């Protein structure tokens, strides 16, 4: 019998579309009922002396789509009971965005994360993605692609 493992799978897909409308559509599509996981967002992230501070994820996204070399992570939590527990968006330092979700897993049965990865790939119209477990991606598209290449070479 498959059981939840007590840790999460992370599904990540690289997108070239770092626009405000695309980010909002993604968030609204996958997580219509959500909450932000922090009270404020700093630029640079986790800085002791930030140059910018935003009160909402929406304001942060507006800044990041206009400043395409600023890297930042954004996490949103699902407020509904679901295998999809939340979203992770990683704005890269080279103008891309990694659209992600964290979800329950019954590993080695990967049907939950396989389904979510496919949904994200379809939404993003991208085949560049992978699944990992309790791990974050790099904030750079070329480094992201190298991880996929290494994963495929190990299979």
């Amino acid at each position: 019998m498959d059981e939840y493992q007590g840790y999460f799978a992370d599904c990540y897909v690289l997108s070239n579309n770092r626009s405000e409308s695309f980010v909002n559509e993604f968030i609204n599509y996958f997580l219509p009922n959500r909450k932000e996981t922090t009270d404020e967002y700093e630029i640079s992230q986790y800085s002791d002396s930030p140059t910018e501070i935003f009160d909402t994820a929406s304001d942060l996204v507006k800044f990041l789509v206009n400043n395409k070399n600023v890297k930042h992570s954004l996490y949103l939590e699902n407020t509904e009971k679901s295998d999809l527990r939340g979203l992770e968006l990683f704005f890269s330092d080279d103008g891309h965005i990694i659209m992600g979700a964290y979800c329950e897993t019954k590993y080695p049965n990967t049907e939950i994360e396989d389904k979510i990865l496919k949904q994200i790939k379809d939404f993003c119209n991208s085949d560049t993605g992978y699944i990992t477990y309790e791990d974050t991606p790099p904030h750079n598209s070329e480094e992201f692609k190298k991880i996929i290449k290494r994963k495929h070479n190990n299979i």
Side-chain angles (χ1 to χ4, degrees), residues 4 8 31 33-34 77-86 104:
Y4 291 120
F8 297 127
L31 217 58
N33 298 303
R34 61 189 172 270
E77 189 176 312
N78 194 349
T79 58
E80 293 184 357
K81 182 149 178 63
S82 167
D83 285 339
L84 177 62
R85 301 304 296 269
E104 296 288 353

Side-chain angles (χ1 to χ4, degrees), residues 55-117:
D55 294 326
T56 67
S58 178
D59 289 339
L60 174 68
V61 169
K62 287 177 188 175
F63 176 84
L64 293 170
V65 299
N66 289 313
N67 295 275
K68 297 205 183 290
N69 293 328
V70 175
K71 66 180 186 176
H72 208 287
S73 307
L74 174 61
Y75 300 91
L76 300 165
E77 189 176 312
N78 194 349
T79 58
E80 293 184 357
K81 182 149 178 63
S82 167
D83 285 339
L84 177 62
R85 301 304 296 269
L87 296 179
E88 308 167 282
L89 285 73
F90 299 90
F91 294 82
S92 71
D93 61 5
D94 59 353
H96 295 82
I97 185 167
I98 297 163
M99 308 303 254
Y102 59 99
C103 62
E104 296 288 353
T105 184
K106 296 179 180 179
Y107 190 85
N109 176 338
T110 61
E111 67 185 22
I112 296 169
E113 52 266 44
D114 290 342
K115 177 182 173 188
I116 291 173
L117 180 66

Side-chain angles (χ1 to χ4, degrees), residues 14-15 30-31 58 64 77 89-90 120-121 129 141 145:
L14 181 65
S15 176
F30 284 99
L31 217 58
S58 178
L64 293 170
E77 189 176 312
L89 285 73
F90 299 90
I120 297 172
K121 282 181 170 182
S141 65
K145 291 174 188 175

